[in-house]
């Protein structure tokens, strides 16, 4: 996925994240695919690397419309392409990754130490202590200074103490808050709760997604078209067409760059849609 490299720079990713995403900095776990293999993915995901065991992406979750803050996620191909927030800053993502590597190796191997030094991560001894106590459970990361503020949703067993805007079961459901969500970032409990709400957005109901997308585009309601596009019920063959139409209505060269990168991939090679 090296054709994403220019996009990575344009959206402001750090050199360390770009190095990981392009494979210039190799992750010690030999099974990790850098750059990410294309198993198909929704447009809100900008993939960095992938894990072939279960076909799991790590990448940036970015809504190009609406007022949501981009974050880093794992996206699970075999769980209907659903995403979970794992970090809210590049510094958090690097430590999340190193914690997993230490947990897998059950030690700080020379390769992991060199990896951390290349990434500029100096608190590896503290990460190791956390790994010994908590394994790779994200809640352990709350003991790291980079997680003292703006910790990701994955760290919380009680999401009522979470300060971000990734959808969760404790979020206040209003017409505005629900319109800034899509099904690919919800678990079943949250989705069913939204579906039962009187102000449930149309893309959570059983409308044909291509027709609903066209309905919003005809009315120039681009944000609602975007959240429809990132909800379950699409064939990849139709997503190509929808993205091209959305790009023609949105004068943002970086968005156009994303659309071009997404459309350059054989999205339907493994699955027909999401």
């Amino acid at each position: 996925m090296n054709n994403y490299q220019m996009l990575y720079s344009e959206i402001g990713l750090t050199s360390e994240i770009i190095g990981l995403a392009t494979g210039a900095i190799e992750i010690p776990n030999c099974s990790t695919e850098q750059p990410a293999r294309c198993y198909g993915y929704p447009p809100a995901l900008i993939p960095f690397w992938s894990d072939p065991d279960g076909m799991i992406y790590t990448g940036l979750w970015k809504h190009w419309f609406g007022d949501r803050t981009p974050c880093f996620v794992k996206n699970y191909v075999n769980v209907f392409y659903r995403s979970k927030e794992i970090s809210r800053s590049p510094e958090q993502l690097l430590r999340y990754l190193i914690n997993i590597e230490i947990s897998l190796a059950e030690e700080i191997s020379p390769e992991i130490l060199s990896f951390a030094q290349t990434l500029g991560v100096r608190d590896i001894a503290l990460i190791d202590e956390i790994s010994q106590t908590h394994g790779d459970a994200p809640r352990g990361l709350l003991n790291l200074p980079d997680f003292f503020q703006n910790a990701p949703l994955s760290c919380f067993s009680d999401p009522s103490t979470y300060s971000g805007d990734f959808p969760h079961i404790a979020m206040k459901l209003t017409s505005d808050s629900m319109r800034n969500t899509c099904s690919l970032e919800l678990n079943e409990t949250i989705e069913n709760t939204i579906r039962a709400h009187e102000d449930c957005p149309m893309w959570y109901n059983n409308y044909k997604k291509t027709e609903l997308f066209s309905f919003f585009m005809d009315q120039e309601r681009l944000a609602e078209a975007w959240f429809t596009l990132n909800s379950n019920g699409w064939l990849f063959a139709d997503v190509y067409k929808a993205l091209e139409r959305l790009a023609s209505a949105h004068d943002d060269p970086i968005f156009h760059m994303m659309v071009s990168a997404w459309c350059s991939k054989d999205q339907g090679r493994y699955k027909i849609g999401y």
Side-chain angles (χ1 to χ4, degrees):
M1 291 194 175
N2 285 321
N3 60 321
Y4 271 84
Q5 188 164 356
M6 186 177 297
L7 177 63
Y8 294 151
S9 298
E10 289 294 331
I11 61 177
L13 295 176
T14 64
S15 59
E16 292 81 9
I17 301 282
I18 294 174
L20 291 167
T22 59
I25 301 174
E26 292 187 8
I27 298 172
N29 180 2
C30 61
S31 69
T32 303
E33 298 166 320
Q34 300 170 265
R37 179 181 294 183
C38 183
Y39 298 107
Y41 49 90
L45 179 71
I46 299 174
F48 298 159
W49 58 85
S50 55
D51 181 351
D53 295 331
M55 295 190 289
I56 302 168
Y57 290 109
T58 298
L60 184 73
W61 191 251
K62 179 175 173 60
H63 287 303
W64 296 83
F65 304 87
D67 57 2
R68 291 272 301 281
T69 304
C71 65
F72 301 98
V73 301
K74 280 190 176 295
N75 180 268
Y76 298 84
V77 173
N78 286 331
V79 189
F80 309 107
Y81 288 92
R82 299 295 174 111
S83 289
K84 294 183 179 180
E85 183 185 70
I86 59 171
S87 70
R88 292 167 64 188
S89 72
E91 294 77 17
Q92 289 179 359
L93 181 61
L94 298 183
R95 285 155 179 80
Y96 173 92
L97 177 59
I98 290 171
N99 184 52
I100 290 176
E101 294 301 310
I102 293 175
S103 297
L104 287 172
E106 298 183 341
E107 64 173 350
I108 301 178
S109 66
E111 293 79 12
I112 293 174
L113 180 59
S114 175
F115 179 62
Q117 291 171 341
T118 299
L119 296 176
V121 174
R122 296 181 174 85
D123 52 353
I124 189 169
L126 180 55
I127 298 173
D128 184 40
E129 289 180 20
I130 291 168
S131 177
Q132 292 179 35
T133 304
H134 299 279
D136 61 2
R139 66 180 181 277
L141 298 172
L142 293 171
N143 295 289
L144 290 173
D146 282 289
F147 288 77
F148 288 171
Q149 294 183 335
N150 300 322
L153 182 59
S154 60
C155 289
F156 296 94
S157 57
D158 177 9
S160 65
T161 58
Y162 165 69
S163 64
D165 60 11
F166 201 85
H168 57 89
I169 194 61
M171 67 183 287
K172 183 177 181 181
L173 296 183
T174 66
S175 178
D176 288 341
S177 69
M178 289 185 292
R179 280 203 305 269
N180 272 302
T181 67
C182 59
S183 73
L184 294 181
E185 56 194 4
L186 306 182
N187 63 34
E188 184 178 1
T189 301
I190 305 171
E191 183 172 5
N192 288 338
T193 301
I194 290 178
R195 283 178 179 272
H197 197 282
E198 61 181 357
D199 292 323
C200 172
M202 294 173 69
W203 50 92
Y204 287 107
N205 293 319
N206 294 323
Y207 294 104
K208 187 175 182 181
K209 290 299 190 294
T210 53
E211 295 177 357
L212 184 59
F213 178 86
S214 293
F215 169 78
F216 288 132
M217 290 298 299
D218 290 344
Q219 298 188 33
E220 299 183 351
R221 296 160 66 179
L222 303 189
E224 288 153 301
W226 171 258
F227 286 109
T228 298
L229 186 57
N230 287 282
S231 292
N232 292 104
W234 285 89
L235 298 175
F236 281 119
D238 292 326
V239 179
Y240 286 104
K241 300 172 188 176
L243 267 180
E244 290 171 354
R245 182 176 180 187
L246 195 53
S248 68
H250 186 50
D251 187 19
D252 178 351
I254 302 178
F255 180 72
H256 292 180
M257 190 181 299
M258 182 279 290
V259 171
S260 178
W262 192 95
C263 289
S264 72
K265 301 300 175 183
D266 184 4
Q267 299 287 351
R269 181 179 179 184
Y270 289 89
K271 294 181 181 288
I272 63 172
Y274 54 82

